[in-house]
Amino acid sequence: MSETIVHEISPVWDEESRVLILGTLPSPKSRENGFFYMHPQNRFWEVIFTVFGEKLNFPNKALKKISASERLEAINERRDFLIRHKIALWDVLKQCDISGASDASIKNAVPNDFTEILSRSKIRHIFCTGKTAFALWKKHCSSVYEERFALKAACLPSTSPANAAWSVENLVAEYSKINNLGQDFSFTSQSDFSSGQS
């Protein structure tokens, strides 16, 4: 059964941000934990920390066992990492009707407004985590923002447990493109990338 979900997690960014990573919208577990990509089996944080040669003090698999204060530390660890590496993080959708965590069930999608983030930062590259997020960006946002802000948008594979065919090693190889923006976008076909809730 579908329900209407309204995005309540604030985007992470500052005026020095150069890259914007977008999921579809927060999964139930992420909403429960109050931050992006916080499902215990989602590999986003493991992958992105590895790309930049860093290690999580509070990995997703440990979230069930930590206290409320440690959970806040885990969120701050992730937020500080993003700001330090000039990465902004949000989701394409502000609101939609959805059944559980199934991107395929999304209806009545309403996109977020990216005007403030894009006009006040140095972002020129958009990376969508999964083919659903990328399709929604192209449908609702591409014509509004890409030419206006001279953006390049590309699709990365989803790090969700639903995309188990992708190993952590392969994900790291694809996500390394975030840390190597001098190259052209020679991405794997988006059809291989599954869906991508944060």
Side-chain angles (χ1 to χ4, degrees):
M1 183 175 178
S2 68
E3 60 178 325
T4 300
I5 299 299
V6 178
H7 201 311
E8 296 182 345
I9 302 175
S10 298
V12 179
W13 68 285
D14 69 9
E15 293 181 355
E16 294 301 314
S17 298
R18 297 174 186 273
V19 173
L20 174 58
I21 300 177
L22 296 173
T24 307
L25 80 166
S27 68
K29 280 294 183 182
S30 292
R31 297 196 299 272
E32 179 183 320
N33 284 296
F35 202 59
F36 305 94
Y37 302 101
M38 295 296 264
H39 188 288
Q41 294 176 299
N42 194 298
R43 298 161 293 171
F44 177 83
W45 294 111
E46 178 185 1
V47 167
I48 199 74
F49 268 65
T50 300
V51 164
F52 286 88
E54 299 187 30
K55 188 172 182 179
L56 279 164
N57 291 317
F58 296 97
N60 280 33
K61 292 177 182 178
L63 293 176
K64 291 181 179 179
K65 304 174 184 178
I66 63 178
S67 65
S69 62
E70 288 174 323
R71 182 172 286 106
L72 182 58
E73 286 184 56
I75 291 171
N76 288 336
E77 175 185 27
R78 289 155 170 77
R79 184 181 284 115
D80 292 346
F81 169 90
L82 295 168
I83 295 300
R84 190 167 67 252
H85 290 289
K86 300 178 171 53
I87 298 171
L89 185 64
W90 207 12
D91 289 302
V92 177
L93 297 185
K94 174 182 180 180
Q95 177 179 317
C96 70
D97 297 335
I98 187 170
S99 298
S102 172
D103 280 356
S105 70
I106 289 174
K107 296 179 180 178
N108 303 318
V110 178
N112 275 310
D113 185 344
F114 297 94
T115 305
E116 181 181 9
I117 290 179
L118 295 173
S119 61
R120 293 183 55 200
S121 71
K122 299 176 181 178
I123 291 167
R124 293 297 177 267
H125 300 274
I126 306 282
F127 291 92
C128 296
T129 60
K131 65 180 183 180
T132 302
F134 188 68
L136 288 166
W137 170 266
K138 285 298 183 184
K139 179 178 180 179
H140 297 287
C141 306
S142 178
S143 62
V144 179
Y145 302 108
E146 287 188 18
E147 183 175 354
R148 177 182 175 189
F149 293 102
L151 300 172
K152 292 183 178 180
C155 182
L156 288 170
S158 171
T159 56
S160 92
N163 195 24
W166 279 78
S167 67
V168 169
E169 292 76 15
N170 288 338
L171 289 168
V172 168
E174 288 294 319
Y175 277 70
S176 291
K177 293 163 185 174
I178 294 170
N179 197 21
N180 188 17
L181 293 175
Q183 66 179 349
D184 291 333
F185 291 119
S186 54
F187 291 88
T188 306
S189 168
Q190 62 173 295
S191 63
D192 298 332
F193 287 172
S194 188
S195 58
Q197 283 198 21
S198 66

